[in-house]
């Protein structure tokens, strides 16, 4: 494992900022706060972005941007729709069985 703290190649400052860019990939541009030069650019791997203190929904949004997963809200909405459809289908099946067998189900 290699660990290092970056510094600006132009002015040797360690006063840096990270600029997150989200398009088809997620990239971090490291910019020097003192001279404004570009220090580095990183492309994040899928699932590689973690925002400390922002919670599970932030994590899900990050995963959604990776294109491999739907958001927690969409998962909840899909679950509600599925539950509603299953209840409707079960009511329809119950009515059909009552028509066929009456009150005495085998």
């Amino acid at each position: 494992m290699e660990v290092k703290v970056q510094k600006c190649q132009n002015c040797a400052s360690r006063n840096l900022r990270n600029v997150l860019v989200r398009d088809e990939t997620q990239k971090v541009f490291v910019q020097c706060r003192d001279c404004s030069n570009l220090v580095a650019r990183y492309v994040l791997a899928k699932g590689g972005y973690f925002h400390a203190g922002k919670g599970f929904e932030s994590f899900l949004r990050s995963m959604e941007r990776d294109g491999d997963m739907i958001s927690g809200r969409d998962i909840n909405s899909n679950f509600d729709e599925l539950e509603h459809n299953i209840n409707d289908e079960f009511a329809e099946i119950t009515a059909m069985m009552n028509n066929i067998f009456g009150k005495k189900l085998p």
Side-chain angles (χ1 to χ4, degrees):
M1 174 188 294
E2 179 182 347
V3 177
K4 66 185 219 178
V5 177
Q6 286 192 302
K7 67 179 178 183
C8 179
Q9 297 88 335
N10 185 53
C11 68
S13 172
R14 294 195 188 275
N15 186 16
L16 309 174
R17 75 167 52 91
N18 294 327
V19 180
L20 179 63
V21 176
R22 293 177 172 146
D23 47 22
E24 65 279 352
T25 60
Q26 295 188 49
K27 296 170 258 186
V28 177
F29 289 83
V30 181
Q31 181 185 34
C32 178
R33 287 179 182 262
D34 292 333
C35 72
S36 299
N37 276 9
L38 175 66
V39 175
R41 190 216 64 189
Y42 299 92
V43 176
L44 299 177
K46 288 187 176 237
Y49 178 73
F50 174 76
H51 201 171
K54 291 294 186 177
F56 184 66
E57 283 200 20
S58 174
F59 170 75
L60 288 176
R61 281 193 300 274
S62 176
M63 297 299 290
E64 183 183 22
R65 285 186 183 101
D66 289 342
D68 291 341
M69 186 175 179
I70 61 175
S71 75
R73 289 187 184 126
D74 288 344
I75 290 171
N76 192 39
S77 175
N78 288 350
F79 174 78
D80 290 343
E81 183 180 352
L82 177 67
E83 184 178 45
H84 177 76
N85 289 341
I86 287 173
N87 286 333
D88 284 352
E89 188 176 18
F90 182 71
E92 183 180 342
I93 289 169
T94 301
M96 289 174 66
M97 287 190 306
N98 285 337
N99 285 340
I100 296 170
F101 300 107
K103 294 190 179 197
K104 287 189 164 189
L105 289 175

